């Protein structure tokens, strides 16, 4: 799939802006603070109905009542006009002019894979960051996953509230605890099965992508680390005592983690900054491939400020690969001095300055 | 500028109704003053007072009635071998309107939800247990909602009744009658396929 045009109105530092994107590589060049990342963020928000790094209201231009982002998306399903309107009193997501009320019906119309500097948290951050990554990505690919996840979170809230009511000397209704535990386990098992299958598929693809990027025989591994090894229902039932004592549910998908191993060692503590960045990039490349296989639709690849962190050879390897696969990519950079002429020649180049985007024509 | 005190008091009362916010309450209150004549206003007040004093819960099933027992429980022609359990009196009216069910009801007045402070004690369950022990009762049909709370309530009742000889059933979920499959949401379609029957 690809985006033909993006139109922004009062989005971040853009007052009014229309951009016609090329189907392959699109470079957005400018100094820091001019609006490159903001443009990327608008495409991400159109896909996921929210930003990856800010509250909704932060995306509205200063002193404007609302912001609007709009994209014309071409996919195998035909052309879809997506619109996201962010206002003080809430937001609206529209597809072909019709408001889409259920998040799970909207997310997935436009698929994106994002590499942002913040993604470094995937390797070295906390399990919360990694679960968030899993949930956002899986939610984009499989809309039933979002339903399973929200059923799980709701049942978890109910069960934790009941556990909180247990006081020494005041017992709670055990039948109700059993019932809520069964509900939690049923929704939780669905979440676990999907996470587990996803990580197994991503593992093989990411290992290959890492070798491609590093040009060395290095071995990247992704492992699912569920909070309990056994089936969820017996696991929860065996731990009633500790749950009642602590007044909360101590095990389940809300405590899962995802591990990265580089050459057999945990990447969070042993991989260098540069290696961690390459791991994230390899995961993103694997993700592109995975989405393409499962959805029969090639996602957009959004790369924010990735080039400056890679050496010249790796920059060109990455971009040439993207160019050859024909994926639509939006790449931000401060300059293109290290990029080979044939790659630049195939791409569309935009200059970003003070909230205005202008296409730069080759040879100028 | 504030509303006169008695008008403000009326607005406050209207705001206690579900789905009525400040703006709607103001419209209702001003309408009452401008448009209702004395007689209509009196009739409105009387209707509230009368409904409140004469309507109560049926001691047997929990449905609403202005008689000693509700219309269904008092009807000797109803099929006493079945009890259909619902969350609210509104559900009874809906099912009666459909006209296909001839058994008895039991109204819980809610569904289990610890986050809303509703446990088994808060529901009209105490009067259900003696009913199910009656000789003539053979089947309990659980028709609570297809929400997490409705499902939890259904599972809870099934658990309590598991050592009895009663047939415990749950109403089916599926595709709305007269609608094309394309209009059903994914979760409903998945449920409909899971709960398919031989045909």
């Amino acid at each position: 799939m690809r985006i033909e045009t993006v139109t922004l109105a009062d989005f971040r530092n853009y007052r009014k802006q229309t951009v016609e994107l090329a189907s392959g590589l699109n470079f957005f060049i400018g100094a820091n603070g001019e609006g490159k990342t903001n443009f990327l963020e608008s495409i991400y928000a159109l896909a996921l109905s929210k930003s990856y790094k800010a509250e909704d209201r932060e995306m509205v231009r200063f002193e404007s009542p609302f912001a609007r982002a709009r994209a014309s998306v071409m996919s195998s399903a035909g052309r879809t006009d997506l619109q996201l309107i962010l206002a003080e009193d809430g937001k609206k997501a529209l597809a072909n002019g019709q408001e889409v009320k259920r998040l799970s019906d909207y997310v997935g119309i436009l698929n994106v894979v994002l590499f942002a500097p913040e993604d470094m948290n995937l390797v070295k951050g906390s399990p919360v960051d990694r679960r968030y990554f899993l949930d956002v990505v899986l939610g984009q690919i499989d809309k039933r996953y979002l339903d399973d996840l929200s059923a799980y979170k709701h049942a978890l809230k109910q069960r934790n509230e009941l556990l909180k009511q247990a006081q020494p000397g005041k017992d709670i209704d055990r039948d109700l605890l059993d019932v809520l535990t069964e509900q939690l386990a049923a929704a939780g098992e669905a979440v676990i099965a999907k996470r587990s299958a996803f990580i197994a598929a991503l593992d093989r693809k990411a290992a290959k992508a890492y070798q491609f990027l590093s040009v060395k025989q290095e071995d990247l591994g992704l492992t699912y680390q569920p909070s309990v090894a056994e089936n969820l229902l017996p696991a929860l039932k065996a731990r009633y005592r500790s749950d009642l004592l602590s007044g909360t549910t101590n095990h389940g998908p809300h405590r899962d983690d995802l591990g990265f191993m580089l050459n057999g060692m945990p990447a969070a503590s042993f991989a260098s900054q540069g290696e961690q960045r390459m791991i994230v990039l390899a995961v993103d490349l694997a993700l592109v491939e995975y989405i393409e296989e499962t959805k029969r639709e090639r996602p957009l690849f959004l790369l924010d400020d990735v080039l400056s962190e890679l050496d010249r050879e790796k920059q060109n390897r990455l971009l040439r690969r993207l160019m050859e696969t024909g994926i639509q990519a939006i790449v931000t950079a401060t300059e293109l001095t290290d990029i080979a002429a044939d790659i630049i020649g195939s791409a569309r180049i935009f200059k970003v300055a003070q909230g205005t985007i202008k296409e730069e024509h080759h040879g100028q | 500028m504030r509303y006169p005190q008695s008008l403000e008091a009326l607005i406050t009362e209207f705001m206690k109704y579900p789905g009525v916010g400040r703006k709607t309450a103001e419209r209702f209150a001003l309408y009452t003053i401008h448009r209702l004549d004395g007689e209509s206003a009196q009739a409105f007040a009387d209707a509230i007072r009368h409904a409140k004093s004469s309507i109560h819960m049926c001691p047997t099933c929990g449905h609403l009635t202005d008689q000693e027992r509700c219309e269904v429980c008092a009807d000797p022609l109803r099929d006493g071998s079945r009890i259909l359990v619902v969350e609210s009196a509104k559900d009874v009216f809906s099912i009666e309107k459909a006209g296909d069910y001839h058994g008895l009801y039991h109204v819980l007045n809610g569904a289990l939800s610890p986050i809303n402070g509703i446990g088994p004690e808060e529901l009209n369950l105490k009067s259900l247990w003696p009913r199910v022990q009656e000789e003539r009762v053979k089947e309990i049909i659980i028709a609570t909602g297809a929400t997490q709370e409705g499902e939890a309530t259904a599972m809870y009742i099934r658990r309590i009744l598991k050592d009895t000889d009663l047939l415990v059933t749950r109403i089916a979920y599926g595709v709305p009658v007269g609608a094309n499959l394309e209009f059903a949401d994914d979760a409903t379609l998945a449920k409909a396929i899971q709960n398919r029957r031989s045909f």
Side-chain angles (χ1 to χ4, degrees), chain A residues 150-219:
Chain A
S150 73
Y152 179 78
K153 286 184 174 165
H154 190 70
L156 183 66
K157 238 164 103 184
Q158 295 280 23
R159 189 175 189 267
N160 284 344
E161 189 58 44
L162 183 68
L163 288 168
K164 226 193 290 171
Q165 290 166 10
Q167 304 280 328
K170 179 186 171 282
D171 210 359
I172 53 166
D173 191 312
R174 285 304 172 108
D175 288 306
L176 184 53
L177 182 58
D178 281 347
V179 162
L180 293 177
T181 303
E182 276 173 43
Q183 279 189 321
L184 187 71
E189 287 288 2
V191 171
I192 290 170
K194 282 176 178 167
R195 284 181 180 174
S196 164
F198 170 66
I199 293 168
L202 213 57
D203 174 41
R204 290 187 294 274
K205 295 186 196 310
K208 260 192 264 164
Y210 194 87
Q211 287 189 358
F212 167 81
L213 287 168
S214 72
V215 216
K216 280 185 246 158
Q217 279 305 308
E218 288 192 285
D219 185 29

Side-chain angles (χ1 to χ4, degrees), chain B:
Chain B
M1 195 183 134
R2 286 194 203 147
Y3 288 107
Q5 207 179 0
S6 58
L7 190 58
E8 185 60 44
L10 185 57
I11 293 168
T12 309
E13 291 310 313
F14 277 126
M15 276 172 67
K16 291 176 183 168
Y17 283 76
V20 178
R22 173 96 203 164
K23 286 219 167 82
T24 310
E26 285 171 355
R27 273 178 59 212
F28 285 180
L30 289 169
Y31 183 90
T32 309
I33 303 303
H34 289 309
R35 305 281 170 195
L36 291 190
D37 56 34
E39 210 172 299
S40 309
Q42 190 60 49
F44 185 38
D46 287 347
I48 291 179
R49 194 177 303 120
H50 184 66
K52 195 63 201 168
S53 65
S54 65
I55 307 273
H56 58 94
M57 276 166 54
C58 170
T60 309
C61 73
H63 188 41
L64 298 177
T65 181
D66 54 4
Q67 307 294 310
E68 195 189 322
R69 297 172 73 206
C70 78
E71 213 179 306
V72 176
C73 288
D75 184 350
L77 296 177
R78 299 293 293 213
D79 175 0
S81 69
R82 293 194 174 94
I83 297 176
L84 190 136
V85 182
V86 292
E87 288 181 25
S88 83
K90 223 176 136 226
D91 301 328
V92 175
F93 290 113
S94 306
I95 296 168
E96 282 299 292
K97 205 172 128 220
D100 220 37
Y101 176 71
H102 306 292
L104 304 176
Y105 291 97
H106 196 86
V107 182
L108 297 173
N109 279 317
L112 293 171
S113 175
I115 49 181
N116 293 316
I118 302 174
E121 297 290 312
E122 279 70 37
L123 296 182
N124 181 29
L125 280 167
K126 249 192 221 104
S127 63
L128 178 63
W129 310 137
R131 288 186 80 192
V132 303
Q133 287 166 27
E134 284 174 41
E135 193 69 38
R136 59 179 184 157
V137 177
K138 304 283 182 243
E139 181 181 0
I140 305 296
I141 306 164
I142 308 176
T144 50
T147 57
Q148 181 270 328
E149 291 81 3
E151 210 60 60
T153 310
M155 287 161 75
Y156 183 84
I157 294 171
R158 182 186 59 188
R159 246 187 126 72
I160 303 289
L161 298 179
K162 71 173 185 292
D163 294 327
T164 66
D165 295 332
L166 289 161
L167 175 64
V168 180
T169 57
R170 181 93 172 96
I171 55 161
Y173 298 111
V175 183
V177 175
N180 284 325
L181 287 187
E182 60 180 310
F183 295 117
D185 66 276
D186 292 359
T188 305
L189 269 180
K191 260 265 192 272
I193 292 168
Q194 265 169 37
N195 299 335
R196 70 190 182 278
R197 58 190 171 80
S198 62
F199 175 72

Side-chain angles (χ1 to χ4, degrees), chain A residues 222-243:
Chain A
L222 272 64
T223 50
Y224 182 34
Q225 296 166 355
S227 86
V228 285
E230 65 266 50
N231 285 334
L232 193 52
L233 184 60
L236 289 170
K237 289 204 161 182
R239 291 167 172 85
Y240 271 8
R241 258 175 75 90
S242 66
D243 281 0

